Amino acid sequence: MNSPLKYPDDVDFFYFLENHGWSTCFIFVGGKMYEMGPTHIFDNPIEVLLNSLIDLLAGATESEFTWHDEPGEYKWSIKRNQEQSHKIDVSITDCVQINGVEKQKLVTLNFEVKLKLFSICVLRQMEKIRDLMSEKSFKEHREGEFPFNTFSEFKRSYEQAYS
């Protein structure tokens, strides 16, 4: 069980589609920032995240996936809270905790958040990337890296769940 946050919705998600098959993802939880740098070599980290959220929005009770890094990997486990099914418990292994004066360290990030809130955070970041892909200079070194069809399915799933 994840420890409750002082402010339960104190979570944010930032995703940067880098050049040449890499991404950087930051998750802000409880006043601290965590970083992951997944590679797109083995599979597309955006696509596996969105597919996981699509399953959860459709009613699945849990979802697991791996984002690969070189070396290492980030194992995600997302489970619905059994008492409050609108919330999810998220666990991600080997995130880098980065906080100002504190020394960076690898941690397993655990947090609870409303599925709707986390989905909104992901949705807005993916909309940003989708829109940036229409710019030739942005798209140039990212061709094929954004899963437009999976994003559309995720957006539909979100709208069906919350409209």
Side-chain angles (χ1 to χ4, degrees):
M1 182 69 152
N2 297 322
S3 59
L5 298 170
K6 182 176 179 183
Y7 304 103
D9 296 331
D10 193 9
V11 174
D12 210 340
F13 177 89
F14 306 94
Y15 198 95
F16 305 96
L17 181 58
E18 306 285 350
N19 289 319
H20 307 294
W22 288 95
S23 288
T24 301
C25 177
F26 294 100
I27 298 180
F28 178 81
V29 176
K32 295 184 178 179
M33 190 70 78
Y34 301 86
E35 179 182 0
M36 293 167 278
T39 179
H40 293 234
I41 290 175
F42 302 104
D43 49 30
N44 187 312
I46 296 172
E47 190 160 26
V48 295
L49 171 65
L50 295 180
N51 281 328
S52 178
L53 290 173
I54 289 166
D55 290 346
L56 291 163
L57 289 167
T61 57
E62 64 183 82
S63 183
E64 294 183 348
F65 61 90
T66 300
W67 279 356
H68 298 279
D69 196 356
E70 294 180 29
E73 59 190 14
Y74 310 100
K75 292 186 180 196
W76 287 64
S77 172
I78 306 174
K79 298 180 181 180
R80 280 192 189 271
N81 181 307
Q82 292 181 347
E83 289 82 37
Q84 297 179 304
S85 63
H86 68 289
K87 294 181 179 179
I88 52 174
D89 294 314
V90 179
S91 176
I92 310 167
T93 61
D94 291 335
C95 294
V96 178
Q97 181 179 336
I98 48 174
N99 292 305
V101 296
E102 294 179 30
K103 185 176 181 180
Q104 292 185 2
K105 58 185 174 180
L106 284 178
V107 298
T108 295
L109 174 58
N110 293 296
F111 62 95
E112 180 180 78
V113 65
K114 292 177 187 173
L115 176 58
K116 182 177 183 180
L117 184 141
F118 193 68
S119 295
I120 290 169
C121 292
V122 171
L123 177 65
R124 297 302 178 237
Q125 289 296 300
M126 296 304 127
E127 287 176 334
K128 171 193 76 175
I129 295 168
R130 177 205 58 202
D131 293 349
L132 287 170
M133 290 296 285
S134 69
E135 290 294 318
K136 184 180 178 187
S137 61
F138 184 86
K139 183 179 180 177
E140 185 176 0
H141 298 292
R142 296 170 178 91
E143 189 72 43
E145 296 293 336
F146 185 77
F148 287 96
N149 292 337
T150 305
F151 171 72
S152 294
E153 185 180 346
F154 168 66
K155 190 171 180 179
R156 274 192 307 276
S157 296
Y158 171 81
E159 289 167 353
Q160 287 174 349
Y162 297 113
S163 293

